[in-house]
């Protein structure tokens, strides 16, 4: 009968736990925000405020107010889709999501460019679709 040494048992246990925890963290990173507007706003707000940064918390409050009052249903859907894309690409709440919600506020308030919101999202979608490595360009657009 074959007996397994203590070193082998220990090595197997380490590999097992490493695989278990890496799959858990990977699955959490791939989880997207809900597509329904109220549920999205709650989940996205929770995600943003986990940074505990005062500027992020202020931006989240402004975004929540504007999301419900300034955005059309189509624009809300566009925001949710883009935010989910960024989350799947593992962008962080700060600086990228903070920059995005700040940018959205500026685009919606710009009376000189009423199509700025739609134009920005169309360009971003095109970059994500056509570029092999779009992250550098998207990050530049968020600045």
């Amino acid at each position: 009968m074959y007996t397994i040494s203590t070193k082998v048992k220990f090595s197997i246990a380490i590999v097992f736990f490493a695989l278990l925890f890496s799959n858990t963290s990977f699955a959490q990173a791939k989880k997207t925000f809900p597509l329904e507007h109220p549920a999205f706003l709650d989940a996205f707000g929770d995600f943003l405020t986990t940074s505990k940064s005062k500027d992020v918390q202020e931006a989240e409050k402004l975004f929540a107010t504007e999301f419900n009052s300034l955005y059309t249903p189509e624009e809300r859907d566009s925001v949710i889709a883009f935010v989910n894309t960024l989350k799947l690409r593992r962008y962080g709440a700060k600086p990228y999501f903070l920059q995005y919600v700040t940018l959205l506020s500026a685009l919606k308030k710009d009376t000189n460019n009423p199509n700025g919101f739609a134009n920005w999202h169309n360009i971003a979608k095109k970059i994500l679709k056509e570029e092999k490595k779009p992250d550098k360009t998207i990050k530049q657009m968020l600045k």
Side-chain angles (χ1 to χ4, degrees):
M1 178 175 227
Y2 180 72
T3 59
I4 299 175
S5 72
T6 305
K7 277 187 173 182
V8 173
K9 288 179 185 177
F10 182 70
S11 297
I12 291 171
I14 287 177
V15 169
F16 173 75
F17 284 113
L19 290 173
L20 176 70
F21 288 113
S22 68
N23 285 339
T24 303
S25 63
F26 181 74
Q28 288 175 350
K30 293 291 186 179
K31 186 177 179 186
T32 59
F33 297 107
L35 300 179
E36 303 79 30
H37 300 169
F40 162 77
L41 209 48
D42 290 341
F44 187 55
D46 291 345
F47 172 76
L48 287 177
T49 56
T50 57
S51 77
K52 307 265 190 250
S53 172
K54 190 171 186 162
D55 56 341
V56 175
Q57 291 177 350
E58 290 172 5
E60 186 275 328
K61 287 179 187 173
L62 178 63
F63 173 74
T65 301
E66 291 179 350
F67 189 79
N68 286 322
S69 61
L70 297 179
Y71 294 49
T72 66
E74 294 80 20
E75 289 172 333
R76 289 181 195 151
D77 291 342
S78 182
V79 168
I80 292 169
F82 191 73
V83 163
N84 278 328
T85 299
L86 295 184
K87 185 147 192 262
L88 288 172
R89 298 182 83 78
R90 298 182 181 187
Y91 283 50
K94 188 172 182 179
Y96 302 111
F97 284 99
L98 171 61
Q99 292 169 337
Y100 179 62
V101 297
T102 303
L103 173 72
L104 289 179
S105 182
L107 289 171
K108 288 301 289 178
K109 292 176 181 174
D110 185 0
T111 57
N112 293 327
N113 188 6
N115 295 325
F117 178 94
N119 291 340
W120 190 93
H121 281 92
N122 288 336
I123 291 168
K125 285 178 199 174
K126 185 175 180 181
I127 289 167
L128 287 166
K129 184 178 180 181
E130 294 177 3
E131 288 188 15
K132 288 185 180 185
K133 295 184 178 182
D135 290 320
K136 184 176 180 179
T137 307
I138 293 295
K139 289 175 181 178
Q140 287 295 321
M141 289 178 65
L142 292 171
K143 289 186 177 182

